[in-house]
């Protein structure tokens, strides 16, 4: 395959944008450059095109309520060039020239977060509610058991019926018919974005692409057998590079090989292009680009130059840029070479300079006016500036950690993290902020107080956190931007009792009023028992709890922990030896007499120290898991063994698996 080279071109800055609020209008009969429509949090919908490198405005509406979704529609089988925007519970429709032809206030009790339009049918979702309207008349309704992240409609012209698909936070795709869920498809992560395969659902219209909040991408085929669905997982691309979550997707032939490529926009600013290999149906990564802030919308088309394909992207802060197949202009061949700037480019530079000067003057005037209003003798007022925050807090089950991402529309000054339960802060590769810790008072419910001081122009921060199962509470982030006057917003994130577990979707619906929990680890059952008992007591609900413990589960669990514990003990031992070996190397120079093991430690010293620093408390956490397991095993027998914990820790310091198992099986 040929190498894909794309070059960034910046077009426009709008306000803060929600996911999937930018679209490219279909090209006209002349097949020239396409027009762009975009809506932002100021409620402004605007359309523009590019002509000779300049932005040409088509129309622009007045400010209003924050726009949360933008979709294109039209009669089935015709050009989809009608523009629909959702704000609050209202949907408005515009033609491509900006004339409004629809204003429909739905009966939604939530703000619309997802929307699809198919002919005369309108489909909208809030956080938990799905509604279907036909000709603005209420037709179908569904209440989801968990948060709805996205919505897609199977193409009616192919499947011959209305089939909505909901992406729900509990790792399930729900296929609806009328007001009923007829099929549930479990996926490997919480699905955050949906898209029809090849933009039309494939040959049968039943193939759906999904992206997850933990960065995976997959394809599901919803094959029908009469009235029953037989979902098939065609492929899934794991997130081996630990990239951000998927926000938006599109299909476009940017590689010009006759097959549409998969275009992905992620919340860490990465744009990716996947195409199918000749020998394999699973897509392969062909191109990756990072812009440093969340991608909220991505589309493929022809925008800046006729005849040149490009990917058009919108970021969270409203930057609209393209990744074009057109090569940038070549610089002069030598340092002393002279070259002429085209008159239209000179004029553009002059107009941009004039615009910058005008904006600077306006900022100075507004700042002076604000200072005067705060110092007024009549009782000056100081308004706290509002700033928008885009944050996510999700579990990465592969390394048992939580990733907290905070993105602000302006530069971040600092972020203070506070927790009322013990948590560990881990190193994140994409975090350049300086962290400092403050003294805490655990007795008063304060286990963590850390401040991240960000570098200039940092608008996005990642914090990696590892919690302890059984200890639940609240994590708070105090976010302070570089604004005057100083202000701060607080965000709260709940850490649950079984914080490192994921939902299960296999249930026996015949056991009404009864629940059976099974686990390899007795500590998990102990946490569940304590929490359910506490909640039942609080709500005055009578519960009958019985526990059946299999003695073979204890050595089984210890064998599961064994490889991780052995790896961490070996790593800690190697790191302790590094300084002594370096001193020996400094004085002796010739280290050939060292054993291969010690030589390997010297050769990989930097990597070993980096790995140990990345997970500083991992060994202590494994010790804690084994200690909790020992206490819980005998707690179910009514025996308190806390006095035996020092002996257990001594065995762990001189670790041997068989000795540890014998200690567990010896009655105290």
């Amino acid at each position: 395959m040929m190498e894909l080279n794309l070059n960034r071109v910046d077009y426009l800055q709008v306000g803060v944008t929600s996911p999937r609020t930018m679209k490219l209008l279909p090209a006209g009969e002349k097949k020239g450059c396409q027009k762009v429509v975009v809506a932002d949090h100021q409620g402004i919908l605007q359309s523009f095109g590019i002509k000779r490198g300049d932005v040409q405005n088509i129309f622009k509406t007045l400010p209003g309520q924050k726009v949360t979704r933008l979709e294109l529609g039209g009669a089935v089988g015709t050009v989809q060039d009608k523009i629909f925007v959702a704000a609050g519970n209202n949907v408005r429709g515009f033609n491509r020239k900006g004339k409004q032809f629809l204003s429909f206030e739905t009966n939604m009790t939530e703000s619309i977060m997802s929307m699809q339009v198919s002919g005369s049918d309108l489909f909208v979702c809030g956080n938990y509610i799905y509604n279907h309207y036909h000709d603005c008349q209420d037709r179908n309704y569904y209440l989801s058991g968990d948060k709805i992240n996205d919505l897609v409609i199977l193409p009616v012209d192919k499947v011959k019926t209305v089939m909505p698909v909901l992406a729900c936070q509990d790792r399930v795709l729900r296929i609806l018919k009328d007001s009923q869920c007829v099929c549930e498809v479990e996926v490997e992560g919480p699905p955050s974005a949906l898209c029809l395969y090849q933009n039309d659902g494939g040959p049968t219209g039943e193939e759906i692409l999904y992206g997850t909040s933990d960065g995976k991408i997959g394809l599901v085929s919803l094959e029908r057998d009469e009235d029953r669905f037989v979902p098939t997982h065609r492929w899934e691309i794991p997130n081996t590079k630990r990239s951000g979550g998927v926000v938006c997707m599109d299909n476009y032939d940017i590689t010009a090989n006759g097959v549409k490529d998969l275009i992905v926009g992620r919340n860490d600013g990465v744009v990716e292009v996947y195409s199918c290999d000749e020998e394999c149906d699973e897509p392969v990564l062909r191109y990756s680009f990072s812009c440093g802030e969340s991608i909220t919308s991505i589309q493929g088309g022809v925008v800046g130059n006729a005849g040149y394909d490009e990917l058009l992207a919108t970021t969270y802060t409203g930057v609209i840029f393209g990744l074009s197949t057109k090569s940038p202009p070549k610089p002069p061949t030598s340092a002393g070479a002279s070259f002429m700037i085209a008159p239209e480019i000179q004029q553009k530079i002059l107009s941009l300079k004039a615009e910058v000067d005008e904006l600077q003057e306006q900022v100075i005037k507004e700042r002076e006016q604000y200072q005067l209003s705060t110092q007024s003798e009549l009782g000056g007022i100081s308004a706290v500036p509002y700033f928008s925050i885009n944050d996510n807090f999700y579990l990465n089950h592969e390394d048992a950690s939580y990733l907290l991402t905070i993105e602000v529309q302006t530069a971040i000054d600092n972020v203070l993290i506070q927790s009322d339960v013990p948590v560990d802060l881990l190193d994140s590769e994409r975090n350049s902020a300086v962290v400092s810790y403050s003294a805490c008072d655990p007795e008063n419910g304060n286990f963590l107080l850390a401040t991240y001081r960000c570098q200039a122009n940092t608008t996005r921060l990642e914090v990696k956190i590892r919690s302890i199962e059984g200890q639940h509470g609240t994590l708070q982030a105090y976010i302070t931007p570089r604004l005057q006057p100083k202000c701060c917003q607080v965000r709260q994130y709940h850490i649950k009792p079984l914080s490192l577990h994921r939902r299960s979707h296999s249930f026996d619906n015949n056991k009404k009023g009864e629940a059976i929990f099974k686990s390899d680890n007795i500590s998990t059952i102990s946490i569940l028992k304590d929490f359910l008992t506490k909640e039942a007591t609080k709500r005055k609900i009578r519960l009958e709890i019985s526990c059946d413990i299999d003695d073979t589960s204890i050595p089984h669990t210890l064998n599961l922990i064994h490889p991780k514990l052995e790896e961490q003990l070996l790593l800690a031992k190697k790191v302790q030896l590094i300084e002594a070996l370096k001193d020996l190397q400094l004085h002796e120079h010739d280290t050939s007499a060292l054993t291969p093991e010690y030589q390997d430690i010297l050769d990989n010293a930097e990597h070993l120290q980096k790995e140990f620093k990345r997970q500083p408390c991992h060994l202590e956490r494994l010790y804690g898991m084994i200690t909790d397991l020992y206490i819980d095993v005998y707690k179910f027998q009514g025996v308190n063994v806390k006095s035996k914990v020092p002996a257990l820790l001594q065995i762990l310091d001189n670790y041997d698996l068989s000795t540890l198992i014998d200690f567990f099986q010896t009655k105290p």
Side-chain angles (χ1 to χ4, degrees):
M1 284 186 176
M2 293 177 58
E3 185 180 355
L4 183 60
N5 292 312
L6 301 176
N7 303 288
R8 175 167 175 166
V9 184
D10 288 288
Y11 291 122
L12 193 65
Q13 169 83 58
V14 296
V16 174
T17 61
S18 293
R20 298 177 286 286
T21 50
M22 181 274 293
K23 293 285 185 182
L24 288 176
L25 293 173
E29 295 180 359
K30 296 181 180 180
K31 301 293 182 183
C33 294
Q34 294 175 257
K35 303 298 187 291
V36 184
V37 286
V38 60
D40 58 28
H41 283 195
Q42 298 175 24
I44 297 173
L45 170 68
Q46 57 185 306
S47 174
F48 68 90
I50 308 298
K51 189 174 182 180
R52 295 176 184 173
D54 288 333
V55 174
Q56 305 279 326
N57 287 317
I58 310 300
F59 70 84
K60 188 174 183 179
T61 67
L62 294 172
Q65 196 172 1
K66 176 175 80 172
V67 175
T68 51
R69 197 64 177 257
L70 185 152
E71 292 292 338
L72 300 180
V76 176
T78 65
V79 177
Q80 305 291 291
D81 62 351
K82 301 294 188 294
I83 306 160
F84 296 86
V85 293
N89 67 348
N90 186 269
V91 176
R92 291 179 295 159
F94 300 83
N95 65 18
R96 61 188 306 151
K97 294 184 178 180
K99 183 177 180 181
Q100 184 173 329
F101 62 85
L102 173 70
S103 180
F104 173 51
E105 188 153 345
T106 68
N107 56 359
M108 295 275 288
T109 56
E110 302 176 323
S111 293
I112 297 170
M113 304 306 294
S114 308
M115 177 175 68
Q116 289 283 299
V117 180
S118 177
S120 301
D121 293 291
L122 171 67
F123 308 87
V124 293
C125 291
N127 286 323
Y128 296 91
I129 298 171
Y130 154 85
N131 262 90
H132 169 206
Y133 303 92
H134 181 77
D135 285 333
C136 297
Q137 298 296 315
D138 201 346
R139 180 64 60 91
N140 293 303
Y141 167 90
Y142 179 76
L143 177 63
S144 173
D146 209 332
K147 184 182 177 184
I148 302 170
N149 294 326
D150 203 5
L151 161 74
V152 75
I153 308 298
L154 300 184
V156 177
D157 56 336
K158 290 187 176 181
V159 299
K160 307 303 180 185
T161 186
V162 175
M163 283 284 180
V165 181
L166 309 182
C168 299
Q169 184 67 23
D170 55 357
R171 298 187 294 110
V172 169
L173 305 181
R174 290 183 166 86
I175 296 92
L176 307 183
K177 187 174 182 182
D178 298 330
S179 296
Q180 300 294 322
C181 176
V182 294
C183 182
E184 293 186 347
V185 184
E186 186 176 351
V187 294
E188 279 301 307
S192 51
L194 296 178
C195 179
L196 293 175
Y197 180 63
Q198 296 291 298
N199 289 342
D200 61 1
T204 62
E206 298 171 337
E207 296 180 336
I208 299 173
L209 289 161
Y210 66 86
T212 68
S213 59
D214 56 0
K216 301 183 186 73
I217 306 164
L219 175 63
V220 172
S221 179
L222 303 175
E223 299 171 4
R224 283 186 294 173
D225 181 10
E226 295 180 356
D227 293 334
R228 190 169 61 92
F229 281 93
V230 185
T232 303
H233 289 270
R234 293 273 298 278
W235 48 257
E236 184 177 80
I237 304 172
N239 187 14
T240 54
K241 294 184 179 179
R242 296 184 179 178
S243 301
V246 177
V247 180
C248 49
M249 296 185 290
D250 189 32
N251 296 275
Y252 186 76
D253 186 14
I254 191 69
T255 56
N257 64 354
V259 180
K260 289 180 180 176
D261 306 296
L262 172 60
I263 319 299
V264 177
R266 297 180 181 270
N267 66 9
D268 60 351
V270 173
V271 174
E272 294 175 330
V273 177
Y274 292 87
S275 61
C276 292
D277 189 84
E278 289 87 350
E279 300 177 356
C280 181
D281 290 336
E282 185 174 316
V284 293
L285 181 64
R286 290 287 311 281
Y287 176 82
S288 181
F289 171 85
S290 178
C291 73
E293 58 175 303
S294 293
I295 304 294
T296 52
S297 302
I298 190 84
Q299 288 267 282
V302 179
V303 183
N305 296 277
Y308 291 94
D309 294 320
E310 68 180 272
L311 307 178
L312 191 70
T314 307
T315 70
Y316 170 71
T317 59
V319 175
I320 302 176
F321 69 92
L323 297 172
S324 176
T325 54
K326 184 179 180 181
S327 301
K330 293 183 179 180
T333 55
S334 63
S338 61
F339 61 97
M340 296 293 293
I341 299 177
E344 60 269 18
I345 300 298
Q346 288 181 335
Q347 184 60 42
K348 186 175 182 180
I349 292 172
L350 291 173
S351 63
L352 286 172
K353 284 183 177 178
E355 186 178 350
V356 169
D357 291 340
E358 184 181 344
L359 287 171
Q360 287 178 337
E361 289 180 7
Q362 188 176 348
V363 168
I364 291 170
K365 287 180 181 178
E366 291 292 334
R367 185 176 287 126
E368 289 176 352
Q369 186 175 351
Y370 176 79
Q371 292 291 341
L372 289 172
S373 66
T374 60
Q375 298 170 9
S376 171
E377 294 180 358
L378 299 176
I381 58 169
S382 177
V384 176
Y386 172 79
F387 58 95
S388 181
I389 296 175
N390 178 29
D391 58 336
N392 286 287
F393 186 67
Y394 66 87
L395 172 66
N396 183 348
H397 73 278
E398 292 176 356
D399 65 354
S401 68
Y402 279 87
L403 186 65
L404 171 62
T405 62
I406 296 171
E407 190 169 13
V408 182
Q409 66 184 101
T410 186
I412 302 173
D413 186 11
N414 63 78
V415 175
L416 186 144
I417 305 292
Q418 186 270 337
S419 174
D420 59 7
V421 291
V423 293
D424 296 329
L425 297 183
L426 309 178
D427 280 349
S428 176
E429 296 173 359
R430 294 188 291 267
N431 187 353
S432 60
V434 178
V435 62
S436 58
Y437 295 88
S438 302
C440 298
D441 183 8
E443 293 183 0
N444 290 322
N446 190 11
F447 286 86
L448 173 71
L449 202 60
T451 304
Y452 286 86
R453 290 178 173 83
C454 300
Q455 298 178 2
N457 300 322
T458 298
T459 59
R460 190 175 187 275
L461 178 71
E462 284 191 2
V463 180
K464 208 169 186 180
I465 296 162
R466 180 167 288 140
S467 59
I468 302 173
E469 289 222 313
Q471 303 199 37
H472 59 283
T474 304
L475 182 82
Q476 297 189 106
Y478 295 79
I479 305 153
T480 305
R482 295 182 186 271
L483 291 176
Q484 293 297 332
K486 280 294 181 185
C487 55
C488 176
Q489 282 193 37
V490 184
R491 289 286 193 271
Q492 292 187 337
Y493 312 95
H494 296 294
I495 297 174
K496 299 180 180 179
L498 290 177
S499 54
L500 302 180
H501 278 68
R502 297 195 299 169
R503 287 176 185 250
S504 173
H505 297 282
S506 300
F507 299 107
D508 184 353
N509 295 321
N510 297 321
K511 296 180 179 294
K512 188 175 181 180
E514 180 180 326
I516 298 176
F517 299 95
K518 297 180 180 180
S519 176
D520 294 338
N521 193 341
I522 292 174
S523 294
T524 302
I525 302 300
S526 177
I527 293 168
L528 269 171
K529 180 176 177 290
D530 292 346
F531 183 77
L532 291 174
T533 303
K534 181 181 176 182
E535 289 297 308
T537 304
K538 188 191 299 181
R539 302 181 188 188
K540 298 180 180 179
I541 298 173
R542 185 185 174 190
L543 279 183
E544 292 183 5
I545 301 176
S546 61
C547 298
D548 182 18
I549 297 174
D550 187 346
D551 291 337
T552 60
S553 68
I554 300 164
H556 171 73
T557 303
L558 293 175
N559 273 288
L560 290 176
I561 298 173
H562 171 68
K564 299 181 187 300
L565 181 58
E566 197 171 45
E567 179 188 352
Q568 289 298 316
L569 285 167
L570 184 60
L571 177 62
K573 180 182 176 182
K574 287 180 177 180
V575 170
Q576 285 177 344
L577 290 171
I578 287 174
E579 289 302 319
L581 289 172
K582 282 186 174 180
D583 286 343
L584 183 64
Q585 185 184 39
L586 184 66
H587 290 92
E588 296 295 331
H589 301 293
D590 182 14
T591 58
S592 58
L594 291 175
T595 63
E597 180 188 357
Y598 289 163
Q599 192 67 52
D600 182 69
I601 293 173
L602 269 177
D603 294 340
N604 298 286
E606 186 177 346
H607 172 73
L608 291 170
Q609 287 175 325
K610 185 178 179 181
E611 186 67 21
F612 187 75
K613 186 181 177 183
R614 193 170 66 86
Q615 302 190 71
C617 300
H618 199 53
L619 186 60
E620 287 81 355
R621 289 287 173 258
L622 291 172
Y623 276 27
M625 287 172 61
I626 294 171
T627 304
D628 289 343
L629 178 64
Y630 182 68
I631 292 171
D632 291 332
V633 165
Y634 287 99
K635 185 171 75 172
F636 279 105
Q637 300 177 19
V639 180
N640 189 333
V641 293
K642 290 185 178 180
S643 61
K644 295 285 185 179
V645 169
L648 174 61
L649 293 175
Q650 190 173 357
I651 290 174
L652 289 174
D653 289 337
N654 302 281
Y655 178 67
D656 177 72
L657 178 60
S658 58
T659 306
L660 181 63
I661 292 174
D662 290 341
F663 182 82
F664 266 76
Q665 292 178 339
T666 303
K667 295 287 184 179

